[in-house]
């Protein structure tokens, strides 16, 4: 017992627990009850799975994240992705499959952290992420319209299901519509007061009380979805027989969504003690939160911007705040689990619809729309794919589109300028389109020189044409890596210059580049270039190459 106590103490936060953290945790736990249940509904499983996830994710995720105020709990995007991944799983097996998916997603996150893949999140385009999250919001709003109205709906995607409800108003249950409307009015109305963070809970209590008070027997309740266990679940091993390729791909999609959203939480809630968040450590924390959620029968969790903001506003100052919100969830589950089954389903649908609409940022969308055609294409393409495709496929589209946009930007955003040597200094002027006879041209390049960027450089270098003995110095200062495509391009350019009696020099070559692209390696690939290594003095190697070009011209008689 003594060793167990020491082990637990060694893993508890080092910060001193404050009263404000305990109280903030209570506020966060109360506010997460309707959100957690709604996430379970969104994922297509018993809403109690969302409560279990809110409990385990907050406690175990809060222990290990580097962003100390990050609340690791259910999110709409991860819930929708999980539900999409398990859409073909039979209803009776969905809970077991959800638990396994959560564990696999957690394992993927931990592996991503171990491989230090956090740096790659910056390649996910802001336009793509905004389009995806806007599409998720639209999917939630459209998909929950049937539950909000108590109507049955047919359709392959959320948009068609919503259209089916609108086109068949006779299917709408008026009692369910009343409950949903009351929920929206309470949530929206209280959001404009100091009790805004309790709006969803107040709506949940009021709407639940309305059912027996007004005899609204036609309204579906949480207990209709499945049995509600009493108290908190005990850790249990998953059913590995449920593991399928589609479940693994769905878990990977969930992991991508959670990890990218987690970066946004770190930016929105910086550590108060001035320490910087570590992306990969946050990956680990969210992975641990998912593994714990899976063992306790929960669903996927991740860093939540909304819940983190709620806990922070409520007074949390250390990582004890997010952790106490999970501990308070244990108390709520023990004391009130019996009441969960009586919550109206239209209430949860209404909470989701209000949250989805509130998550859309029109100002951000307008800013992206005005920033250029590339951003507009990324925004619209991701939004439409999220609406019409399974979330797993939409995530793949978003990631692929981000990479293509990055490569396209690197290829297009490349500029070649000329540097003139005047009085021992280098003056920047526009680069010529063609070279002149017996002229020495110093060129500098802005932008990426990998892959398509190198090919773009090929078409932007000045044309030797019929010029006699043109000399070109290409400045490479500050580039620590140069790929094979670049050297193929410059060697081709060097041959064109040699054909008319000219010559190409590369100056400012980094020592790391020289160590790899030495003369032996270049010779084996049929590349002949004069390389001038960079020195501590800016422009020194370029001026040395310029001087060598002048000597070469002097030794070549004019024709």
């Amino acid at each position: 017992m003594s060793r167990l106590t020491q082990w637990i103490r060694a893993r508890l936060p080092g910060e001193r627990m404050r009263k404000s953290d305990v109280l903030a945790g209570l506020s966060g736990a109360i506010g997460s009850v309707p959100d957690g249940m709604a996430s379970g509904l969104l994922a297509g499983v018993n809403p109690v799975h969302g409560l279990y996830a809110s409990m385990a994710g907050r406690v175990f995720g809060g222990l290990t994240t580097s962003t100390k105020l990050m609340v690791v709990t259910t999110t709409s995007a991860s819930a929708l992705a999980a539900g999409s991944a398990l859409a073909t799983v039979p209803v009776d097996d969905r809970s077991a499959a959800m638990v396994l998916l959560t564990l696999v997603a957690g394992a993927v996150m931990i592996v991503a952290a171990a491989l230090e893949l956090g740096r790659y999140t910056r390649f996910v385009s802001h336009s793509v992420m905004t389009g995806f999250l806007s599409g998720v919001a639209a999917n939630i709003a459209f998909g929950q319209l049937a539950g909000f109205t108590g109507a049955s709906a047919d359709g392959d995607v959320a948009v068609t299901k919503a259209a089916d409800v609108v086109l068949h108003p006779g299917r709408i249950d008026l009692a369910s519509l009343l409950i949903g409307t009351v929920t929206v009015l309470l949530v929206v109305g209280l959001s404009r007061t100091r009790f805004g963070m309790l709006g969803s809970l107040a709506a949940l209590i009021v709407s639940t009380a309305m059912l027996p008070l007004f005899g609204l027997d036609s309204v579906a309740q949480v207990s209709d979805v499945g049995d509600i266990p009493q108290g908190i679940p005990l850790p249990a091993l998953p059913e590995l027989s449920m593991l399928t390729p589609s479940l693994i791909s769905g878990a990977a999609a969930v992991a991508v969504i959670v990890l990218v959203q987690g970066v946004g939480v770190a930016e929105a809630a910086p550590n108060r003690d001035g320490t910087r968040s570590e992306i990969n450590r946050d990956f680990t924390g969210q992975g641990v939160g998912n593994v714990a959620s899976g063992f306790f029968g929960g669903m996927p969790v991740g860093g939540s911007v909304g819940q983190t903001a709620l806990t922070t506003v409520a007074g949390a100052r250390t990582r004890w705040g997010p952790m106490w919100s999970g501990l308070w969830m244990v108390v709520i589950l023990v004391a009130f689990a019996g009441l969960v089954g009586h919550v109206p389903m239209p209430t949860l649908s209404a909470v989701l619809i209000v949250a989805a609409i509130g998550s859309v940022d029109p100002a951000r969308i307008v800013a992206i729309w005005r920033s250029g055609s590339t951003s507009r294409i990324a925004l619209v393409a991701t939004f439409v794919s999220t609406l019409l495709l399974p979330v797993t496929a939409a995530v793949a589209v978003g990631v692929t589109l981000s990479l293509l946009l990055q490569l396209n930007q690197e290829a297009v955003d490349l500029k070649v300028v000329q540097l003139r040597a005047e009085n021992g200094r280098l003056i920047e002027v526009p680069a010529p389109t063609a070279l002149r006879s017996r002229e020495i041209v110093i060129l500098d390049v802005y932008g990426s020189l990998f892959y398509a960027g190198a090919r773009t450089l090929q078409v932007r270098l000045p044309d030797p044409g019929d010029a006699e003995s043109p000399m070109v110095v290409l400045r490479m200062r500050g580039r620590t890596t140069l790929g094979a495509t670049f050297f193929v391009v410059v060697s081709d350019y060097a041959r064109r210059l040699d054909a008319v009696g000219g010559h190409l020099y590369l100056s400012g070559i980094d020592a790391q580049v020289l160590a790899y692209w030495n003369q032996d390696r270049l010779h084996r690939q049929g590349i002949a270039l004069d390389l001038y290594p960079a020195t501590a003095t800016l422009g020194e190697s370029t001026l040395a190459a310029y001087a060598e070009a002048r000597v070469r011209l002097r030794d070549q008689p004019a024709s």
Side-chain angles (χ1 to χ4, degrees):
M1 183 60 69
S2 176
R3 291 182 179 180
L4 178 61
T5 302
Q6 292 177 358
W7 185 87
I8 294 174
R9 286 180 177 175
R11 282 153 181 79
L12 289 177
E15 303 99 329
R16 182 174 61 87
M17 188 190 308
R18 305 183 182 186
K19 181 180 178 181
S20 60
D21 292 321
V22 179
L23 296 177
L26 178 59
S27 298
I30 292 174
S32 71
V33 171
D35 289 345
M37 295 177 65
S39 293
L41 171 64
L42 186 60
V45 295
N46 193 320
V48 77
H49 290 289
L51 297 179
Y52 296 158
S54 296
M55 173 198 70
R58 292 166 187 255
V59 174
F60 293 93
L63 276 172
T64 45
T65 57
S66 71
T67 304
K68 298 179 181 180
L69 296 180
M70 178 185 287
V71 176
V72 181
T73 186
T74 55
T75 68
S76 296
S78 63
L80 189 64
S84 176
L86 302 180
T88 59
V89 176
V91 175
D92 293 340
D93 297 331
R94 195 165 294 171
S95 290
M98 179 65 74
V99 168
L100 185 58
L101 180 142
T102 304
L103 287 168
V104 174
V108 170
M109 295 176 204
I110 293 173
V111 170
L115 297 176
E116 298 185 349
L117 300 183
R119 60 185 179 273
Y120 294 110
T121 56
R122 65 180 183 268
F123 291 105
V124 179
S125 163
H126 182 64
S127 304
V128 165
M129 198 61 193
T130 301
F132 173 74
L133 293 178
S134 299
V136 166
N139 262 336
I140 293 172
F142 289 137
Q144 294 303 312
L145 187 60
F148 180 84
T149 59
S152 58
D154 297 323
D156 296 326
V157 294
V159 175
T160 56
K161 290 178 181 178
D164 190 57
V165 172
V166 173
L167 294 175
H168 299 88
R171 300 176 184 171
I172 294 175
D173 178 63
L174 295 181
S176 298
L177 181 61
L178 173 64
I179 292 294
T181 303
V182 168
T183 300
V184 170
L185 292 176
L186 283 171
V187 173
V188 175
L190 289 175
S191 67
R192 300 175 181 177
T193 70
R194 61 178 180 173
F195 303 106
M197 67 178 63
L198 301 177
S200 296
L201 183 66
L204 186 149
I205 295 173
V206 171
S207 60
T208 302
M210 288 177 63
L211 297 189
L213 188 62
F214 297 103
L216 305 178
D217 299 330
S218 62
V219 179
Q221 301 177 35
V222 170
S223 58
D224 297 330
V225 178
D227 295 333
I228 308 299
Q230 298 295 311
I232 60 174
L234 296 176
L237 295 176
E239 295 183 23
L240 296 179
S241 61
M242 303 294 298
L243 191 65
T244 62
S246 62
L247 186 143
I248 295 174
S249 64
V254 169
V256 171
I257 293 170
V258 166
L259 297 180
V260 174
Q261 284 189 310
V263 175
V265 177
E267 295 174 353
N271 293 329
R272 294 177 177 271
D273 58 5
T275 57
R276 296 186 62 180
S277 296
E278 300 174 19
I279 294 178
N280 291 305
R281 187 176 164 193
D282 283 342
F283 279 16
T284 301
Q286 293 171 94
V288 169
N290 275 276
V291 171
S293 175
F295 277 124
F296 280 95
M299 54 186 289
V301 293
S304 169
V305 175
Q307 288 295 325
T308 300
L310 189 154
T311 305
T312 304
V313 170
R317 293 295 178 268
T318 70
R319 67 171 69 248
W320 281 107
M323 290 179 60
W324 263 106
S325 65
L327 295 173
W328 280 117
M329 280 297 301
V330 176
V331 177
I332 292 173
L333 283 169
V334 171
F336 302 107
L339 300 177
V340 170
H342 301 291
V343 174
M345 296 296 283
T347 296
L348 300 182
S349 294
V351 169
L352 284 169
I353 291 173
V354 172
I357 295 173
S359 68
V360 177
D361 189 345
R364 177 181 297 180
I365 294 173
V366 170
I368 292 173
W369 191 263
R370 291 176 177 174
S371 62
S373 58
T374 301
S375 297
R376 286 196 290 269
I377 292 172
L379 179 72
V380 173
T382 313
F383 177 80
V384 172
S385 65
T386 306
L387 279 183
L388 302 181
L389 299 175
V391 175
T392 305
V395 170
V397 169
V399 171
T400 303
L401 190 56
S402 291
L403 295 175
L404 291 176
L405 290 173
Q406 175 70 20
L407 293 174
N408 178 71
Q409 189 66 24
E410 289 184 354
V412 173
D413 189 18
L414 186 140
K415 181 182 179 182
V416 179
V417 299
Q418 180 180 355
L419 301 178
R420 285 182 178 167
E422 298 181 3
N423 300 322
R425 297 180 301 170
L426 298 175
I427 308 299
E428 184 178 302
V429 296
T433 57
L435 299 175
R436 293 186 297 183
S437 296
R438 302 185 66 79
E439 180 183 36
I440 303 175
V441 176
I442 302 174
L443 301 175
D444 202 357
V445 182
Y446 298 123
S448 171
L449 290 176
F450 282 104
Y451 308 119
R455 294 300 182 187
T456 302
L457 173 67
Q458 187 173 31
V459 300
R460 295 191 180 176
L461 288 170
D463 184 12
D466 296 327
E468 177 189 347
S469 301
M471 303 291 169
V472 176
V473 180
L474 190 58
R475 186 171 182 264
M476 295 286 103
R477 180 85 183 191
R479 300 182 184 275
T480 57
T481 54
L482 292 170
T485 305
F486 167 78
F487 279 100
V488 169
V489 167
V490 295
S491 65
D492 177 70
Y493 190 61
R495 282 191 290 268
R496 293 177 62 197
L497 289 172
D498 289 340
V500 293
H503 200 72
L504 176 65
Y505 305 84
L506 298 186
S507 68
I509 302 297
D510 188 89
Q512 184 175 333
V513 175
L514 279 174
Y516 184 80
W517 291 103
N518 52 48
Q519 288 296 339
D520 288 340
R521 187 181 296 274
L522 292 174
H523 180 72
R524 287 197 301 269
Q525 298 193 23
I527 300 173
L529 293 171
D530 285 349
L531 305 179
Y532 285 74
T535 67
T537 303
L538 294 178
E540 184 175 24
S541 65
T542 299
L543 292 175
Y546 180 80
E548 175 61 29
R550 291 184 64 182
V551 172
R552 184 184 290 269
L553 272 180
R554 185 188 62 194
D555 294 341
Q556 285 183 347
S559 60

